[in-house]
Amino acid sequence: PPRLLIRDLSLSVSAGGLLIAGASGVGKTTLLRAVAGLWLGGSGVVRRVLDPRRVLFLPQQPYMQAGSLREELLYPFGPVDVRPGCHDDDGGSGDSSRPGGRDDDLRRALHRVGLEHVLVRAGGDLGARRRWAEELSVGEQQRLSVARLLLHRPALAILDETTAANDAQHERLMYECVAETCQAFISVGHRPSIEAFHARRLTLLGEHGAGRWVLEDLA
């Protein structure tokens, strides 16, 4: 039978980040997937005034291909004029118009999320082909998904437990990259520490709360 998870929810996502909270099973991931256009069940309307290529969904378990490191970084949109949103300390622009510029951007993105050791393991070759889902830990895969975000620069990022397998230091680094790169972002996560990276919190009460919800500012 149908379940009422969320009733009469109407909101806009602006700069500063929105954290979706609530007990297990209240519909947090369902709402994220609906906003991302990945969930077509139920009823209601989600309006996105963005090109789908400007929205990036980062799940807890990133999709990894059996291909080159370059292909992993450029997933899901493929080659574009990439310029990382978070630069390292050399102040480089990552200009893809100069020879090797695009690969420089990819290397810079790996460095920014603390994955330079992955490139070292690959012998410095972005074309190295591996079974990355087996070679990288889940935490490393999550940081690689943030490197993708740096390269594609979506206007809206949707994060579903994207930092769950990382320690506090890497979690902060990942959210700094998201906040500096995207116009807005929405997160689901259970760690209290991630509240610090968001401006508002939406708490869902689920079907036992008759689909009610609470929206509040985070000081």
Side-chain angles (χ1 to χ4, degrees), residues 67-151:
S68 71
L69 186 55
R70 182 183 293 106
E71 290 168 340
E72 288 293 356
L73 287 164
L74 292 175
Y75 179 85
F77 301 128
V80 292
D81 287 333
V82 292
R83 287 183 173 82
C86 295
H87 302 299
D88 59 7
D89 293 337
D90 69 5
S93 67
D95 186 353
S96 59
S97 65
R98 57 172 163 61
R102 180 168 296 163
D103 279 0
D104 285 349
D105 287 338
L106 304 188
R107 293 187 177 94
R108 227 182 322 271
L110 286 171
H111 177 78
R112 185 67 181 89
V113 298
L115 290 179
E116 58 269 28
H117 63 279
V118 174
L119 187 58
V120 171
R121 281 201 321 243
D125 181 11
L126 287 165
R129 304 182 72 84
R130 300 280 196 281
R131 294 184 179 275
W132 297 107
E134 300 172 5
E135 184 155 329
L136 302 181
S137 70
V138 176
E140 289 173 326
Q141 292 176 42
Q142 289 176 350
R143 299 208 301 279
L144 190 143
S145 74
V146 173
R148 293 169 174 167
L149 175 143
L150 294 177
L151 295 164

Side-chain angles (χ1 to χ4, degrees), residues 50 53-55 153-157 181-185:
L50 291 172
R53 290 174 61 96
R54 302 206 67 203
V55 179
R153 299 182 60 81
L156 174 64
T181 304
C182 303
Q183 295 176 20
F185 60 95

